[in-house]
C-alpha cells in the first residue's frame, strides 16, 4: 500500500543497475525507490570498491568506497542538444564537440576485443591525446550561452570522472548498458502508465530485473519467464528454501534449455 502521508500520485523512481559489459555474469537490477537521493544508490553499492560508471548526477558522490567514472555518451548527448538549425557559430562549435566524443567511441570500437591490460595501454596511447585536445579546446570557447554553455560546463565539471577510463581498461566509456536496459521501460510506460502502490512498483521491478537479465544473457525472456512460472511453484511447495541456482539466467541448465547450440560447443 501507500505509506502514511504519501499520495498515490507522488513521484517515485526506478533505479537501474547493470554489471560491466565484460563481466562473466550479466546482471540487470531494477529497484523501486521513493526518491532520487544518493542514499538510494548507497543502499545497493555502499560497500562496492570497484568502478561505477554513471552520468553526472551529484548524488553518486556518496559512494565513497567506489571509483567513479563518467559517461561519454551523456557528454556527447549534450553537444547534440546544443546544435541549433542552420549554419551558425554555435552549430559549428557543437559539431566539433560532438566530433571529439565520436572519435573516442571510434577508438573504443577498435579496442573491443583486446584484454583489459591491452585496452588500457591503447587508451593511453590513442584516447588520451583526444581527451587532452578536447579539454584544451573547451578552454578557448569565449562566453558560451544556452545549451552550448551547458554542454561545455558538463564536460568541465565532469572532467575527473570522464577521464577515469584512461586508468581502467576493464570499464566502458559510457553507461549504455543501463541505457539499453531501461529503454523498454521508458517506451512502455506511455502504454501502461504508472504504478499507484508500492506493491505494484516492487512487483514491476522484479519482472523488469528477470526479463532484462535474461535478455542480457542471450535468453528469450518470454520463454525464460514461462520456465520460472512453471518450475518455481512446484519446487517451493516441496521445499520453500530450495536452491534456484539452476534457474539463474547464466546457469548451464538455462543455456542448455534455451541456447543448445552454444551449450554443445561449450561441452
Amino acid at each position: 500500500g501507500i505509506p502514511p502521508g504519501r499520495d498515490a500520485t507522488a513521484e517515485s523512481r526506478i533505479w537501474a543497475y547493470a554489471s560491466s559489459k565484460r563481466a562473466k555474469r550479466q546482471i540487470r537490477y531494477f529497484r523501486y525507490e521513493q526518491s532520487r537521493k544518493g542514499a538510494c544508490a548507497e543502499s545497493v553499492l555502499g560497500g562496492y570498491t570497484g568502478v561505477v560508471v554513471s552520468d553526472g548526477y551529484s548524488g553518486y558522490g556518496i559512494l565513497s568506497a567506489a571509483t567513479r567514472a563518467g559517461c561519454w555518451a551523456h557528454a556527447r548527448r549534450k553537444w547534440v542538444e546544443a546544435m541549433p538549425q542552420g549554419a551558425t557559430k554555435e552549430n559549428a562549435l557543437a559539431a566539433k564537440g560532438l566530433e571529439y566524443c565520436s572519435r573516442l567511441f571510434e577508438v573504443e570500437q577498435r579496442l573491443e576485443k583486446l584484454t583489459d591490460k591491452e585496452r588500457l595501454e591503447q587508451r593511453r596511447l590513442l584516447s588520451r591525446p583526444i581527451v587532452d585536445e578536447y579539454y584544451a579546446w573547451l578552454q578557448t570557447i569565449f562566453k558560451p550561452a544556452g545549451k552550448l554553455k551547458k554542454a561545455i560546463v558538463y564536460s568541465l565539471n565532469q572532467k575527473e570522472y570522464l577521464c577515469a577510463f584512461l586508468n581502467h581498461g576493464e570499464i566502458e566509456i559510457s553507461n549504455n548498458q543501463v541505457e539499453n536496459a531501461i529503454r523498454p521501460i521508458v517506451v512502455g510506460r506511455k502504454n501502461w502508465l504508472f504504478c499507484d502502490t508500492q506493491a505494484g512498483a516492487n512487483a514491476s521491478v522484479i519482472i523488469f530485473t528477470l526479463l532484462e537479465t535474461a535478455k542480457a544473457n542471450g535468453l528469450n525472456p518470454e520463454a525464460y519467464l514461462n520456465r520460472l512460472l512453471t518450475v518455481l511453484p512446484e519446487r517451493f511447495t516441496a521445499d520453500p528454501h530450495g536452491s534456484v541456482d539452476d534457474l539463474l539466467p547464466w546457469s548451464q541448465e538455462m543455456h542448455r534449455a534455451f541456447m543448445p547450440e552454444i551449450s554443445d560447443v561449450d561441452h
Side-chain angles (χ1 to χ4, degrees):
I2 302 298
R6 185 174 176 83
D7 190 85
T9 60
E11 184 178 280
S12 298
R13 299 278 177 167
I14 291 179
W15 286 68
Y17 304 84
S19 55
S20 168
K21 187 176 181 179
R22 295 193 167 200
K24 293 181 179 179
R25 294 179 176 178
Q26 288 300 309
I27 299 172
R28 305 294 182 267
Y29 175 50
F30 296 85
R31 185 180 174 99
Y32 162 73
E33 301 284 6
Q34 293 184 19
S35 75
R36 191 171 176 254
K37 294 180 180 179
C40 298
E42 186 181 35
S43 67
V44 176
L45 300 173
Y48 183 61
T49 57
V51 183
V52 175
V53 183
S54 69
D55 60 22
Y57 174 48
S58 60
Y60 294 117
I62 199 171
L63 302 176
S64 57
T67 298
R68 286 183 58 198
C71 173
W72 279 95
H74 279 79
R76 180 172 59 181
R77 190 178 306 159
K78 298 292 183 184
W79 292 113
V80 173
E81 294 170 351
M83 297 180 76
Q85 297 296 321
T88 64
K89 178 182 178 182
E90 289 79 11
N91 190 295
L93 288 170
K96 188 168 183 177
L98 178 61
E99 180 188 3
Y100 276 116
C101 297
S102 297
R103 285 167 60 188
L104 289 175
F105 280 96
E106 289 169 3
V107 170
E108 287 300 306
Q109 287 183 339
R110 302 204 301 269
L111 308 184
E112 191 168 340
K113 294 184 179 181
L114 300 182
T115 65
D116 294 349
K117 182 179 180 180
E118 291 169 339
R119 186 159 70 161
L120 176 59
E121 292 172 351
Q122 290 301 306
R123 280 175 171 175
R124 290 175 171 172
L125 179 66
L126 302 175
S127 299
R128 185 182 291 279
I130 298 174
V131 172
D132 291 343
E133 185 180 332
Y134 174 68
Y135 277 101
W137 169 72
L138 290 178
Q139 299 290 345
T140 68
I141 302 175
F142 184 65
K143 291 186 176 180
K147 292 184 178 179
L148 181 65
K149 181 178 180 180
K150 288 183 179 180
I152 295 169
V153 170
Y154 182 88
S155 285
L156 290 175
N157 287 347
Q158 295 294 310
K159 183 178 180 179
E160 175 186 351
Y161 309 123
L162 288 172
C163 291
F165 81 100
L166 297 172
N167 297 317
H168 296 275
E170 76 279 12
I171 66 171
E172 305 306 308
I173 67 170
S174 75
N175 67 345
N176 281 339
Q177 292 279 89
V178 171
E179 295 290 315
N180 292 334
I182 66 174
R183 187 169 290 114
I185 301 173
V186 174
V187 174
R189 67 185 177 189
K190 295 179 181 178
N191 297 322
W192 61 62
L193 296 179
F194 309 100
C195 300
D196 61 3
T197 68
Q198 281 188 308
N202 283 319
S204 295
V205 294
I206 291 172
I207 297 299
F208 296 153
T209 296
L210 289 172
L211 295 181
E212 289 302 318
T213 301
K215 287 165 59 177
N217 285 275
L219 305 183
N220 179 300
E222 183 177 355
Y224 177 66
L225 187 59
N226 183 64
R227 174 63 64 89
L228 295 184
L229 294 175
T230 301
V231 173
L232 286 177
E234 181 178 345
R235 180 174 300 187
F236 285 164
T237 298
D239 181 3
H241 304 290
S243 173
V244 295
D245 288 354
D246 60 309
L247 297 175
L248 295 174
W250 49 80
S251 71
Q252 291 185 355
E253 288 81 356
M254 290 300 97
H255 278 236
R256 289 194 193 100
F258 299 111
M259 303 169 66
E261 68 283 355
I262 295 179
S263 297
D264 290 343
V265 172
D266 288 345
H267 296 81

